[in-house]
Amino acid sequence: MLAVAFPAAAFATNCYVLAAGPGEECVVVDPGIGVEDTLREVLLEHRLRPAAVLLTHGHLDHVWSVAPVCGGDTAAYIHTDDRYRLGDPLALVAPGTLAMFEAQFGGTATWREPEHVVEIGDREVLSLAGLEVEVLHAPGHTEGSVMFGLPTVPEGLPADEGLDRTVVSGDVLFAGSIGRTDLAGGSDVAMQRSLREVVLPLPDSTLVLTGHGPATTMRRERATNPYLRGLTA
């Protein structure tokens, strides 16, 4: 699998481009704020054509560029419980945060909903761009937060890591931490359940591509993440 990651211009949100190989179709995961130019360069460099945009959840920093990336033809995929957030994610941002965002980028923020939206559900398997992507519903950060599981790993990983599958975790699981639960739609109770029932059962051989910060592995997180230690699946 070809995998390219780069941070957005705000909030260091990771955007991912995943494909079976160069010159193929691809999926774009979480196109955040100011990613369009870098994404265009990645697509040109690897001769890729977006077949779908996958959203781990509906927060502004993960969906900001979804409409321009999708254009008029490509569909955006989001869990049913976060579908409402694509109506106007600006309305769900605290006024102070929105003001800081507008000051940083020099203008009034506006929103355009993607033309084609596909609602997805737990354990659904999506066949997109030559990839098999499993939807893992893991609420807690938002009601419709998901992780995307793939039965393969990016090319070029060290063989001694023993990794054989990938999860794009969004804001559910980070290296050494987890997503916050104090925003609208968040729930600590739901997050704890997701960690026990969805995250902990992932094999140690899972590469975790996080929504913010560096990639990690389930082996590392199971052993060192303070939010996972002490939990039992």
Side-chain angles (χ1 to χ4, degrees):
M1 178 175 68
L2 171 66
V4 180
F6 57 91
F11 304 106
T13 307
N14 290 325
C15 179
Y16 295 99
V17 179
L18 308 176
E24 304 286 348
E25 291 187 321
C26 67
V27 296
V28 179
V29 185
D30 288 355
I33 298 167
V35 303
E36 294 173 66
D37 289 345
T38 303
L39 177 59
R40 189 176 301 111
E41 293 172 1
V42 169
L43 297 178
L44 286 173
E45 178 183 354
H46 298 284
R47 310 183 314 282
L48 300 171
R49 307 176 303 281
V53 174
L54 304 182
L55 303 173
T56 60
H57 62 290
H59 278 162
L60 186 69
D61 60 318
H62 288 253
V63 307
W64 179 256
S65 298
V66 62
V69 171
C70 285
D73 301 321
T74 304
Y77 291 70
I78 191 166
H79 190 273
T80 298
D81 291 348
D82 263 22
R83 173 64 181 88
Y84 77 97
R85 294 178 179 273
L86 293 185
D88 184 6
L90 291 171
L92 303 173
V93 177
T97 302
L98 184 59
M100 288 189 294
F101 167 73
E102 291 180 336
Q104 179 180 358
F105 288 92
T108 301
T110 60
W111 171 254
R112 178 165 61 91
E113 190 171 355
E115 293 184 23
H116 302 291
V117 178
V118 178
E119 297 184 23
I120 53 179
D122 187 36
R123 303 295 169 173
E124 186 173 348
V125 177
L126 310 173
S127 296
L128 299 166
L131 302 171
E132 296 295 309
V133 183
E134 184 179 14
V135 179
L136 303 173
H137 186 210
H141 183 62
T142 67
E143 310 94 320
S145 287
V146 302
M147 304 191 297
F148 293 114
L150 300 98
T152 185
V153 293
E155 296 176 358
L157 293 180
D160 59 3
E161 288 273 2
L163 301 172
D164 59 12
R165 64 194 67 201
T166 300
V167 160
V168 183
S169 64
D171 286 4
V172 177
L173 179 66
F174 303 134
S177 188
I178 60 172
R180 59 191 295 183
T181 60
D182 59 336
L183 300 174
S187 166
D188 184 64
V189 171
M191 177 64 85
Q192 292 303 309
R193 184 168 58 248
S194 292
L195 294 177
R196 288 194 307 270
E197 299 179 2
V198 184
V199 173
L200 277 181
L202 295 172
D204 282 353
S205 57
T206 304
L207 172 70
V208 182
L209 302 180
T210 62
H212 302 266
T216 184
T217 68
M218 272 307 300
R219 178 179 291 106
R220 186 175 303 126
E221 296 312 302
R222 199 185 313 279
T224 64
N225 191 315
Y227 295 93
L228 297 185
R229 296 176 72 178
L231 289 179
T232 55

mmCIF file of all heavy atoms in Angstrom, residues 153-178:
data_model
loop_
_atom_site.group_PDB
_atom_site.id
_atom_site.type_symbol
_atom_site.label_atom_id
_atom_site.label_comp_id
_atom_site.label_asym_id
_atom_site.label_seq_id
_atom_site.Cartn_x
_atom_site.Cartn_y
_atom_site.Cartn_z
ATOM 1 N N VAL A 153 -0.196 -2.854 5.232
ATOM 2 C CA VAL A 153 0.573 -1.745 5.789
ATOM 3 C C VAL A 153 1.296 -1.021 4.663
ATOM 4 O O VAL A 153 1.478 -1.574 3.571
ATOM 5 C CB VAL A 153 1.609 -2.231 6.829
ATOM 6 C CG1 VAL A 153 0.923 -2.789 8.055
ATOM 7 C CG2 VAL A 153 2.567 -3.249 6.221
ATOM 8 N N PRO A 154 1.697 0.220 4.895
ATOM 9 C CA PRO A 154 2.438 0.955 3.863
ATOM 10 C C PRO A 154 3.762 0.284 3.525
ATOM 11 O O PRO A 154 4.384 -0.366 4.366
ATOM 12 C CB PRO A 154 2.672 2.335 4.510
ATOM 13 C CG PRO A 154 1.610 2.446 5.556
ATOM 14 C CD PRO A 154 1.399 1.059 6.068
ATOM 15 N N GLU A 155 4.174 0.473 2.298
ATOM 16 C CA GLU A 155 5.469 -0.053 1.869
ATOM 17 C C GLU A 155 6.595 0.639 2.632
ATOM 18 O O GLU A 155 6.490 1.792 3.042
ATOM 19 C CB GLU A 155 5.647 0.190 0.367
ATOM 20 C CG GLU A 155 4.646 -0.536 -0.500
ATOM 21 C CD GLU A 155 4.803 -0.189 -1.970
ATOM 22 O OE1 GLU A 155 5.675 0.647 -2.276
ATOM 23 O OE2 GLU A 155 4.059 -0.740 -2.791
ATOM 24 N N GLY A 156 7.683 -0.102 2.834
ATOM 25 C CA GLY A 156 8.881 0.490 3.402
ATOM 26 C C GLY A 156 8.994 0.431 4.907
ATOM 27 O O GLY A 156 9.957 0.956 5.473
ATOM 28 N N LEU A 157 8.064 -0.185 5.605
ATOM 29 C CA LEU A 157 8.176 -0.297 7.055
ATOM 30 C C LEU A 157 9.239 -1.332 7.425
ATOM 31 O O LEU A 157 9.421 -2.324 6.724
ATOM 32 C CB LEU A 157 6.837 -0.710 7.663
ATOM 33 C CG LEU A 157 5.686 0.295 7.579
ATOM 34 C CD1 LEU A 157 4.448 -0.287 8.230
ATOM 35 C CD2 LEU A 157 6.060 1.610 8.228
ATOM 36 N N PRO A 158 9.939 -1.115 8.532
ATOM 37 C CA PRO A 158 10.948 -2.097 8.957
ATOM 38 C C PRO A 158 10.314 -3.462 9.194
ATOM 39 O O PRO A 158 9.302 -3.581 9.879
ATOM 40 C CB PRO A 158 11.489 -1.510 10.261
ATOM 41 C CG PRO A 158 11.175 -0.043 10.183
ATOM 42 C CD PRO A 158 9.893 0.056 9.415
ATOM 43 N N ALA A 159 10.914 -4.497 8.653
ATOM 44 C CA ALA A 159 10.358 -5.846 8.785
ATOM 45 C C ALA A 159 10.328 -6.310 10.235
ATOM 46 O O ALA A 159 9.445 -7.074 10.634
ATOM 47 C CB ALA A 159 11.168 -6.823 7.931
ATOM 48 N N ASP A 160 11.291 -5.834 11.050
ATOM 49 C CA ASP A 160 11.361 -6.323 12.428
ATOM 50 C C ASP A 160 10.232 -5.784 13.305
ATOM 51 O O ASP A 160 10.056 -6.225 14.440
ATOM 52 C CB ASP A 160 12.719 -5.997 13.047
ATOM 53 C CG ASP A 160 13.031 -4.501 13.070
ATOM 54 O OD1 ASP A 160 12.167 -3.700 12.648
ATOM 55 O OD2 ASP A 160 14.138 -4.134 13.499
ATOM 56 N N GLU A 161 9.463 -4.814 12.782
ATOM 57 C CA GLU A 161 8.306 -4.332 13.544
ATOM 58 C C GLU A 161 7.180 -5.366 13.551
ATOM 59 O O GLU A 161 6.316 -5.340 14.422
ATOM 60 C CB GLU A 161 7.793 -3.015 12.947
ATOM 61 C CG GLU A 161 8.691 -1.815 13.200
ATOM 62 C CD GLU A 161 8.388 -1.138 14.527
ATOM 63 O OE1 GLU A 161 7.512 -1.633 15.252
ATOM 64 O OE2 GLU A 161 9.037 -0.130 14.825
ATOM 65 N N GLY A 162 7.143 -6.243 12.545
ATOM 66 C CA GLY A 162 6.126 -7.282 12.498
ATOM 67 C C GLY A 162 4.718 -6.768 12.282
ATOM 68 O O GLY A 162 3.753 -7.389 12.737
ATOM 69 N N LEU A 163 4.584 -5.652 11.588
ATOM 70 C CA LEU A 163 3.271 -5.045 11.376
ATOM 71 C C LEU A 163 2.608 -5.616 10.130
ATOM 72 O O LEU A 163 3.256 -5.794 9.091
ATOM 73 C CB LEU A 163 3.418 -3.523 11.233
ATOM 74 C CG LEU A 163 4.046 -2.816 12.442
ATOM 75 C CD1 LEU A 163 4.325 -1.359 12.143
ATOM 76 C CD2 LEU A 163 3.157 -2.965 13.670
ATOM 77 N N ASP A 164 1.308 -5.916 10.224
ATOM 78 C CA ASP A 164 0.636 -6.513 9.074
ATOM 79 C C ASP A 164 -0.734 -5.900 8.793
ATOM 80 O O ASP A 164 -1.458 -6.370 7.920
ATOM 81 C CB ASP A 164 0.492 -8.024 9.256
ATOM 82 C CG ASP A 164 -0.290 -8.406 10.506
ATOM 83 O OD1 ASP A 164 -0.928 -7.521 11.130
ATOM 84 O OD2 ASP A 164 -0.275 -9.608 10.870
ATOM 85 N N ARG A 165 -1.128 -4.873 9.542
ATOM 86 C CA ARG A 165 -2.401 -4.201 9.294
ATOM 87 C C ARG A 165 -2.304 -2.755 9.759
ATOM 88 O O ARG A 165 -1.392 -2.389 10.514
ATOM 89 C CB ARG A 165 -3.535 -4.928 10.008
ATOM 90 C CG ARG A 165 -3.450 -4.929 11.509
ATOM 91 C CD ARG A 165 -4.392 -5.946 12.112
ATOM 92 N NE ARG A 165 -3.948 -7.292 11.776
ATOM 93 C CZ ARG A 165 -4.738 -8.359 11.807
ATOM 94 N NH1 ARG A 165 -6.007 -8.227 12.153
ATOM 95 N NH2 ARG A 165 -4.276 -9.558 11.496
ATOM 96 N N THR A 166 -3.243 -1.943 9.300
ATOM 97 C CA THR A 166 -3.214 -0.506 9.578
ATOM 98 C C THR A 166 -4.575 -0.052 10.084
ATOM 99 O O THR A 166 -5.608 -0.519 9.608
ATOM 100 C CB THR A 166 -2.865 0.289 8.299
ATOM 101 O OG1 THR A 166 -1.581 -0.129 7.819
ATOM 102 C CG2 THR A 166 -2.840 1.785 8.566
ATOM 103 N N VAL A 167 -4.551 0.870 11.029
ATOM 104 C CA VAL A 167 -5.766 1.567 11.467
ATOM 105 C C VAL A 167 -5.501 3.065 11.399
ATOM 106 O O VAL A 167 -4.492 3.542 11.938
ATOM 107 C CB VAL A 167 -6.180 1.162 12.895
ATOM 108 C CG1 VAL A 167 -7.105 2.208 13.509
ATOM 109 C CG2 VAL A 167 -6.897 -0.169 12.885
ATOM 110 N N VAL A 168 -6.382 3.776 10.709
ATOM 111 C CA VAL A 168 -6.362 5.237 10.740
ATOM 112 C C VAL A 168 -7.305 5.630 11.868
ATOM 113 O O VAL A 168 -8.519 5.440 11.777
ATOM 114 C CB VAL A 168 -6.817 5.830 9.394
ATOM 115 C CG1 VAL A 168 -6.715 7.352 9.431
ATOM 116 C CG2 VAL A 168 -5.993 5.265 8.249
ATOM 117 N N SER A 169 -6.755 6.164 12.955
ATOM 118 C CA SER A 169 -7.504 6.251 14.211
ATOM 119 C C SER A 169 -8.223 7.571 14.425
ATOM 120 O O SER A 169 -8.974 7.703 15.406
ATOM 121 C CB SER A 169 -6.565 5.986 15.398
ATOM 122 O OG SER A 169 -5.563 6.987 15.483
ATOM 123 N N GLY A 170 -8.009 8.567 13.549
ATOM 124 C CA GLY A 170 -8.652 9.850 13.770
ATOM 125 C C GLY A 170 -8.292 10.394 15.138
ATOM 126 O O GLY A 170 -7.131 10.330 15.573
ATOM 127 N N ASP A 171 -9.296 10.911 15.860
ATOM 128 C CA ASP A 171 -9.040 11.461 17.194
ATOM 129 C C ASP A 171 -9.505 10.514 18.293
ATOM 130 O O ASP A 171 -9.837 10.947 19.397
ATOM 131 C CB ASP A 171 -9.719 12.824 17.344
ATOM 132 C CG ASP A 171 -8.986 13.916 16.575
ATOM 133 O OD1 ASP A 171 -8.000 13.591 15.879
ATOM 134 O OD2 ASP A 171 -9.413 15.081 16.659
ATOM 135 N N VAL A 172 -9.512 9.216 17.998
ATOM 136 C CA VAL A 172 -9.807 8.224 19.030
ATOM 137 C C VAL A 172 -8.542 7.907 19.815
ATOM 138 O O VAL A 172 -8.517 7.982 21.046
ATOM 139 C CB VAL A 172 -10.405 6.946 18.412
ATOM 140 C CG1 VAL A 172 -10.646 5.896 19.501
ATOM 141 C CG2 VAL A 172 -11.697 7.252 17.673
ATOM 142 N N LEU A 173 -7.476 7.569 19.108
ATOM 143 C CA LEU A 173 -6.232 7.126 19.741
ATOM 144 C C LEU A 173 -5.059 7.892 19.159
ATOM 145 O O LEU A 173 -4.918 8.004 17.942
ATOM 146 C CB LEU A 173 -6.038 5.625 19.514
ATOM 147 C CG LEU A 173 -4.771 4.995 20.093
ATOM 148 C CD1 LEU A 173 -4.803 5.031 21.623
ATOM 149 C CD2 LEU A 173 -4.614 3.561 19.590
ATOM 150 N N PHE A 174 -4.215 8.429 20.046
ATOM 151 C CA PHE A 174 -2.975 9.093 19.666
ATOM 152 C C PHE A 174 -1.794 8.327 20.259
ATOM 153 O O PHE A 174 -1.982 7.424 21.086
ATOM 154 C CB PHE A 174 -2.927 10.533 20.192
ATOM 155 C CG PHE A 174 -4.066 11.403 19.745
ATOM 156 C CD1 PHE A 174 -4.729 12.216 20.656
ATOM 157 C CD2 PHE A 174 -4.479 11.421 18.425
ATOM 158 C CE1 PHE A 174 -5.768 13.032 20.267
ATOM 159 C CE2 PHE A 174 -5.528 12.230 18.011
ATOM 160 C CZ PHE A 174 -6.176 13.050 18.942
ATOM 161 N N ALA A 175 -0.600 8.709 19.862
ATOM 162 C CA ALA A 175 0.593 8.152 20.501
ATOM 163 C C ALA A 175 0.666 8.691 21.918
ATOM 164 O O ALA A 175 0.883 9.872 22.143
ATOM 165 C CB ALA A 175 1.843 8.537 19.709
ATOM 166 N N GLY A 176 0.422 7.823 22.888
ATOM 167 C CA GLY A 176 0.504 8.207 24.284
ATOM 168 C C GLY A 176 -0.711 8.912 24.837
ATOM 169 O O GLY A 176 -0.705 9.350 25.993
ATOM 170 N N SER A 177 -1.778 9.024 24.054
ATOM 171 C CA SER A 177 -2.950 9.745 24.542
ATOM 172 C C SER A 177 -4.194 9.294 23.783
ATOM 173 O O SER A 177 -4.148 8.354 22.983
ATOM 174 C CB SER A 177 -2.734 11.260 24.382
ATOM 175 O OG SER A 177 -3.763 11.990 25.018
ATOM 176 N N ILE A 178 -5.314 9.990 24.040
ATOM 177 C CA ILE A 178 -6.570 9.739 23.340
ATOM 178 C C ILE A 178 -7.218 11.083 23.043
ATOM 179 O O ILE A 178 -6.781 12.129 23.525
ATOM 180 C CB ILE A 178 -7.539 8.869 24.185
ATOM 181 C CG1 ILE A 178 -7.878 9.568 25.505
ATOM 182 C CG2 ILE A 178 -6.957 7.484 24.412
ATOM 183 C CD1 ILE A 178 -8.966 8.888 26.315
#
